[in-house]
Short mmCIF file of all heavy atoms in Angstrom, two decimals:
data_model
loop_
_atom_site.label_atom_id
_atom_site.label_comp_id
_atom_site.label_asym_id
_atom_site.label_seq_id
_atom_site.Cartn_x
_atom_site.Cartn_y
_atom_site.Cartn_z
N PRO A 5 -56.45 118.98 156.08
CA PRO A 5 -56.29 118.63 154.67
C PRO A 5 -54.92 117.99 154.43
O PRO A 5 -53.92 118.42 154.98
CB PRO A 5 -56.40 119.97 153.95
CG PRO A 5 -57.21 120.82 154.88
CD PRO A 5 -56.81 120.39 156.26
N GLY A 6 -54.91 116.92 153.67
CA GLY A 6 -53.67 116.22 153.36
C GLY A 6 -53.39 115.06 154.30
O GLY A 6 -52.52 114.25 154.04
N GLU A 7 -54.12 114.95 155.41
CA GLU A 7 -53.92 113.86 156.36
C GLU A 7 -54.45 112.57 155.76
O GLU A 7 -55.53 112.53 155.18
CB GLU A 7 -54.65 114.17 157.66
CG GLU A 7 -54.45 113.11 158.71
CD GLU A 7 -55.14 113.45 160.03
OE1 GLU A 7 -55.47 114.62 160.25
OE2 GLU A 7 -55.35 112.52 160.82
N THR A 8 -53.69 111.48 155.92
CA THR A 8 -54.09 110.17 155.42
C THR A 8 -54.22 109.22 156.60
O THR A 8 -53.36 109.16 157.46
CB THR A 8 -53.07 109.62 154.42
OG1 THR A 8 -52.97 110.54 153.32
CG2 THR A 8 -53.48 108.26 153.88
N THR A 9 -55.32 108.47 156.64
CA THR A 9 -55.54 107.50 157.70
C THR A 9 -55.98 106.18 157.09
O THR A 9 -56.32 106.12 155.92
CB THR A 9 -56.64 107.98 158.68
OG1 THR A 9 -57.85 108.18 157.95
CG2 THR A 9 -56.26 109.27 159.37
N GLY A 10 -55.98 105.13 157.88
CA GLY A 10 -56.45 103.83 157.42
C GLY A 10 -55.38 102.78 157.50
O GLY A 10 -54.39 102.91 158.23
N GLY A 11 -55.56 101.71 156.76
CA GLY A 11 -54.63 100.60 156.76
C GLY A 11 -54.43 100.06 155.36
O GLY A 11 -55.20 100.37 154.45
N VAL A 12 -53.39 99.27 155.20
CA VAL A 12 -53.09 98.69 153.89
C VAL A 12 -52.88 97.18 154.03
O VAL A 12 -52.57 96.69 155.10
CB VAL A 12 -51.84 99.32 153.22
CG1 VAL A 12 -52.06 100.77 152.93
CG2 VAL A 12 -50.61 99.12 154.07
N ILE A 13 -53.05 96.49 152.94
CA ILE A 13 -52.73 95.08 152.84
C ILE A 13 -51.54 94.99 151.88
O ILE A 13 -51.61 95.50 150.77
CB ILE A 13 -53.92 94.27 152.31
CG1 ILE A 13 -55.10 94.39 153.27
CG2 ILE A 13 -53.53 92.81 152.09
CD1 ILE A 13 -56.40 93.83 152.73
N ALA A 14 -50.48 94.37 152.33
CA ALA A 14 -49.27 94.27 151.50
C ALA A 14 -49.06 92.83 151.07
O ALA A 14 -49.39 91.90 151.80
CB ALA A 14 -48.05 94.75 152.28
N LYS A 15 -48.53 92.66 149.90
CA LYS A 15 -48.21 91.33 149.41
C LYS A 15 -46.78 90.99 149.81
O LYS A 15 -45.87 91.81 149.71
CB LYS A 15 -48.34 91.27 147.89
CG LYS A 15 -49.76 91.33 147.42
CD LYS A 15 -49.83 91.13 145.92
CE LYS A 15 -51.27 91.12 145.46
NZ LYS A 15 -51.37 90.86 144.03
N LEU A 16 -46.60 89.77 150.26
CA LEU A 16 -45.28 89.25 150.58
C LEU A 16 -44.94 88.25 149.47
O LEU A 16 -45.71 87.32 149.22
CB LEU A 16 -45.29 88.55 151.94
CG LEU A 16 -43.97 88.03 152.46
CD1 LEU A 16 -43.00 89.19 152.71
CD2 LEU A 16 -44.19 87.25 153.74
N PRO A 17 -43.82 88.44 148.76
CA PRO A 17 -43.47 87.53 147.67
C PRO A 17 -43.42 86.07 148.15
O PRO A 17 -42.98 85.79 149.27
CB PRO A 17 -42.09 88.01 147.23
CG PRO A 17 -42.07 89.46 147.61
CD PRO A 17 -42.85 89.53 148.89
N ASN A 18 -43.89 85.15 147.31
CA ASN A 18 -43.96 83.73 147.66
C ASN A 18 -42.66 83.16 148.19
O ASN A 18 -42.68 82.31 149.08
CB ASN A 18 -44.42 82.91 146.45
CG ASN A 18 -45.88 83.12 146.13
OD1 ASN A 18 -46.65 83.53 146.98
ND2 ASN A 18 -46.25 82.85 144.89
N GLU A 19 -41.53 83.61 147.67
CA GLU A 19 -40.25 83.04 148.11
C GLU A 19 -39.90 83.41 149.55
O GLU A 19 -38.97 82.87 150.13
CB GLU A 19 -39.10 83.43 147.16
CG GLU A 19 -38.83 84.91 147.08
CD GLU A 19 -39.61 85.62 145.99
OE1 GLU A 19 -40.51 85.03 145.38
OE2 GLU A 19 -39.31 86.80 145.77
N GLN A 20 -40.67 84.34 150.17
CA GLN A 20 -40.43 84.72 151.56
C GLN A 20 -41.42 84.06 152.53
O GLN A 20 -41.26 84.15 153.74
CB GLN A 20 -40.51 86.24 151.71
CG GLN A 20 -39.42 86.96 150.94
CD GLN A 20 -39.49 88.45 151.14
OE1 GLN A 20 -39.42 88.95 152.24
NE2 GLN A 20 -39.65 89.17 150.03
N VAL A 21 -42.45 83.41 152.00
CA VAL A 21 -43.48 82.77 152.83
C VAL A 21 -42.99 81.40 153.29
O VAL A 21 -42.35 80.67 152.53
CB VAL A 21 -44.80 82.65 152.05
CG1 VAL A 21 -45.85 81.93 152.87
CG2 VAL A 21 -45.29 84.02 151.62
N ASN A 22 -43.29 81.05 154.54
CA ASN A 22 -42.90 79.77 155.14
C ASN A 22 -41.39 79.59 155.21
O ASN A 22 -40.89 78.48 155.15
CB ASN A 22 -43.55 78.60 154.40
CG ASN A 22 -45.05 78.66 154.43
OD1 ASN A 22 -45.65 79.02 155.44
ND2 ASN A 22 -45.68 78.33 153.32
N LYS A 23 -40.69 80.69 155.35
CA LYS A 23 -39.23 80.68 155.49
C LYS A 23 -38.86 81.41 156.77
O LYS A 23 -39.49 82.40 157.13
CB LYS A 23 -38.55 81.40 154.31
CG LYS A 23 -38.85 80.83 152.95
CD LYS A 23 -38.02 79.61 152.68
CE LYS A 23 -37.98 79.12 151.29
NZ LYS A 23 -39.08 78.78 150.55
N THR A 24 -37.84 80.94 157.47
CA THR A 24 -37.34 81.62 158.66
C THR A 24 -36.30 82.63 158.21
O THR A 24 -35.32 82.27 157.56
CB THR A 24 -36.73 80.61 159.65
OG1 THR A 24 -37.74 79.66 159.98
CG2 THR A 24 -36.24 81.29 160.90
N ARG A 25 -36.54 83.92 158.55
CA ARG A 25 -35.67 85.00 158.09
C ARG A 25 -35.64 86.11 159.15
O ARG A 25 -36.51 86.17 160.00
CB ARG A 25 -36.19 85.61 156.79
CG ARG A 25 -36.45 84.63 155.68
CD ARG A 25 -37.26 85.25 154.57
NE ARG A 25 -36.63 86.46 154.07
CZ ARG A 25 -36.09 86.60 152.88
NH1 ARG A 25 -36.11 85.60 152.04
NH2 ARG A 25 -35.55 87.73 152.50
N MET A 26 -34.66 87.00 158.99
CA MET A 26 -34.61 88.18 159.86
C MET A 26 -35.20 89.40 159.18
O MET A 26 -35.51 90.39 159.83
CB MET A 26 -33.18 88.48 160.31
CG MET A 26 -32.67 87.48 161.33
SD MET A 26 -31.01 87.84 161.94
CE MET A 26 -31.29 89.37 162.80
N SER A 27 -35.36 89.35 157.84
CA SER A 27 -35.95 90.50 157.15
C SER A 27 -36.89 90.02 156.04
O SER A 27 -36.70 88.96 155.46
CB SER A 27 -34.87 91.42 156.59
OG SER A 27 -34.14 90.78 155.58
N PHE A 28 -37.91 90.85 155.81
CA PHE A 28 -38.92 90.57 154.80
C PHE A 28 -39.15 91.85 154.00
O PHE A 28 -39.09 92.95 154.55
CB PHE A 28 -40.25 90.14 155.44
CG PHE A 28 -40.15 88.84 156.17
CD1 PHE A 28 -39.75 88.81 157.50
CD2 PHE A 28 -40.45 87.66 155.54
CE1 PHE A 28 -39.65 87.61 158.19
CE2 PHE A 28 -40.36 86.44 156.22
CZ PHE A 28 -39.96 86.43 157.54
N THR A 29 -39.43 91.71 152.71
CA THR A 29 -39.71 92.85 151.86
C THR A 29 -41.17 92.81 151.45
O THR A 29 -41.63 91.83 150.85
CB THR A 29 -38.80 92.86 150.61
OG1 THR A 29 -37.44 92.87 151.05
CG2 THR A 29 -39.07 94.07 149.74
N TRP A 30 -41.91 93.86 151.81
CA TRP A 30 -43.33 93.98 151.53
C TRP A 30 -43.53 94.89 150.33
O TRP A 30 -42.86 95.91 150.19
CB TRP A 30 -44.06 94.61 152.72
CG TRP A 30 -43.84 93.88 153.99
CD1 TRP A 30 -42.87 94.14 154.92
CD2 TRP A 30 -44.58 92.79 154.50
NE1 TRP A 30 -42.98 93.28 155.97
CE2 TRP A 30 -44.03 92.42 155.73
CE3 TRP A 30 -45.67 92.08 154.02
CZ2 TRP A 30 -44.52 91.39 156.51
CZ3 TRP A 30 -46.17 91.04 154.79
CH2 TRP A 30 -45.60 90.70 156.02
N ASP A 31 -44.48 94.54 149.46
CA ASP A 31 -44.82 95.36 148.30
C ASP A 31 -46.21 95.95 148.50
O ASP A 31 -47.18 95.22 148.65
CB ASP A 31 -44.81 94.53 147.01
CG ASP A 31 -43.41 94.10 146.62
OD1 ASP A 31 -42.48 94.93 146.75
OD2 ASP A 31 -43.25 92.95 146.19
N TYR A 32 -46.28 97.28 148.53
CA TYR A 32 -47.55 97.99 148.61
C TYR A 32 -47.86 98.53 147.22
O TYR A 32 -47.02 99.19 146.60
CB TYR A 32 -47.46 99.17 149.59
CG TYR A 32 -47.05 98.77 150.97
CD1 TYR A 32 -45.73 98.85 151.38
CD2 TYR A 32 -48.00 98.30 151.87
CE1 TYR A 32 -45.35 98.49 152.66
CE2 TYR A 32 -47.62 97.93 153.16
CZ TYR A 32 -46.30 98.02 153.54
OH TYR A 32 -45.93 97.66 154.81
N ARG A 33 -49.03 98.24 146.69
CA ARG A 33 -49.39 98.65 145.33
C ARG A 33 -50.75 99.33 145.31
O ARG A 33 -51.58 99.12 146.20
CB ARG A 33 -49.41 97.45 144.39
CG ARG A 33 -48.07 96.77 144.25
CD ARG A 33 -47.07 97.65 143.51
NE ARG A 33 -45.73 97.10 143.61
CZ ARG A 33 -44.71 97.73 144.15
NH1 ARG A 33 -44.85 98.94 144.63
NH2 ARG A 33 -43.52 97.18 144.20
N GLN A 34 -50.97 100.09 144.26
CA GLN A 34 -52.27 100.74 144.05
C GLN A 34 -52.68 100.58 142.60
O GLN A 34 -51.84 100.33 141.73
CB GLN A 34 -52.20 102.23 144.43
CG GLN A 34 -51.21 103.03 143.61
CD GLN A 34 -51.24 104.48 143.99
OE1 GLN A 34 -52.31 105.06 144.14
NE2 GLN A 34 -50.07 105.10 144.13
N LYS A 35 -53.96 100.66 142.37
CA LYS A 35 -54.51 100.58 141.02
C LYS A 35 -55.58 101.65 140.93
O LYS A 35 -56.48 101.70 141.77
CB LYS A 35 -55.11 99.19 140.77
CG LYS A 35 -55.63 99.01 139.37
CD LYS A 35 -56.13 97.59 139.17
CE LYS A 35 -56.58 97.41 137.74
NZ LYS A 35 -57.07 96.06 137.50
N SER A 36 -55.47 102.51 139.95
CA SER A 36 -56.41 103.63 139.78
C SER A 36 -56.50 104.47 141.05
O SER A 36 -57.58 104.86 141.48
CB SER A 36 -57.79 103.13 139.37
OG SER A 36 -57.72 102.39 138.18
N GLU A 37 -55.35 104.69 141.68
CA GLU A 37 -55.21 105.52 142.88
C GLU A 37 -55.94 104.96 144.11
O GLU A 37 -56.22 105.67 145.06
CB GLU A 37 -55.65 106.95 142.61
CG GLU A 37 -54.80 107.62 141.54
CD GLU A 37 -55.20 109.05 141.28
OE1 GLU A 37 -56.02 109.62 142.02
OE2 GLU A 37 -54.67 109.62 140.32
N ILE A 38 -56.24 103.64 144.12
CA ILE A 38 -56.83 102.98 145.28
C ILE A 38 -55.94 101.78 145.62
O ILE A 38 -55.45 101.09 144.73
CB ILE A 38 -58.27 102.53 145.00
CG1 ILE A 38 -59.16 103.77 144.78
CG2 ILE A 38 -58.82 101.68 146.14
CD1 ILE A 38 -60.59 103.47 144.45
N GLN A 39 -55.76 101.53 146.92
CA GLN A 39 -54.90 100.44 147.35
C GLN A 39 -55.32 99.13 146.73
O GLN A 39 -56.51 98.81 146.66
CB GLN A 39 -54.95 100.34 148.89
CG GLN A 39 -53.77 99.61 149.47
CD GLN A 39 -52.48 100.35 149.27
OE1 GLN A 39 -52.43 101.57 149.33
NE2 GLN A 39 -51.41 99.63 149.01
N ALA A 40 -54.34 98.34 146.28
CA ALA A 40 -54.62 97.03 145.67
C ALA A 40 -53.62 96.01 146.20
O ALA A 40 -52.42 96.25 146.08
CB ALA A 40 -54.53 97.13 144.15
N PRO A 41 -54.04 94.97 146.82
CA PRO A 41 -55.43 94.64 147.08
C PRO A 41 -55.97 95.45 148.25
O PRO A 41 -55.21 95.92 149.09
CB PRO A 41 -55.39 93.15 147.42
CG PRO A 41 -54.05 92.95 148.04
CD PRO A 41 -53.14 93.91 147.32
N SER A 42 -57.27 95.60 148.31
CA SER A 42 -57.90 96.30 149.43
C SER A 42 -58.68 95.33 150.32
O SER A 42 -59.22 95.73 151.34
CB SER A 42 -58.82 97.41 148.93
OG SER A 42 -59.82 96.86 148.09
N GLU A 43 -58.72 94.06 149.92
CA GLU A 43 -59.39 93.06 150.75
C GLU A 43 -58.89 91.66 150.38
O GLU A 43 -58.30 91.45 149.32
CB GLU A 43 -60.90 93.14 150.59
CG GLU A 43 -61.40 92.92 149.19
CD GLU A 43 -62.89 93.19 149.05
OE1 GLU A 43 -63.43 93.98 149.84
OE2 GLU A 43 -63.50 92.61 148.16
N TYR A 44 -59.09 90.74 151.32
CA TYR A 44 -58.79 89.34 151.07
C TYR A 44 -59.69 88.50 151.96
O TYR A 44 -60.30 89.00 152.90
CB TYR A 44 -57.31 89.01 151.31
CG TYR A 44 -56.88 89.06 152.76
CD1 TYR A 44 -56.89 87.91 153.54
CD2 TYR A 44 -56.45 90.24 153.34
CE1 TYR A 44 -56.50 87.94 154.86
CE2 TYR A 44 -56.05 90.28 154.66
CZ TYR A 44 -56.08 89.12 155.42
OH TYR A 44 -55.70 89.16 156.72
#
Side-chain angles (χ1 to χ4, degrees):
E7 182 178 342
T8 301
T9 59
V12 296
I13 298 170
K15 289 186 177 183
L16 184 64
N18 288 338
E19 62 270 9
Q20 295 182 58
V21 177
N22 300 321
K23 301 281 193 303
T24 302
R25 307 166 55 111
M26 288 183 66
S27 65
F28 295 87
T29 302
W30 305 92
D31 291 319
Y32 302 96
R33 298 291 169 240
Q34 61 177 315
K35 183 177 183 180
S36 302
E37 298 181 9
I38 295 178
Q39 200 66 37
S42 59
E43 59 188 26
Y44 70 93

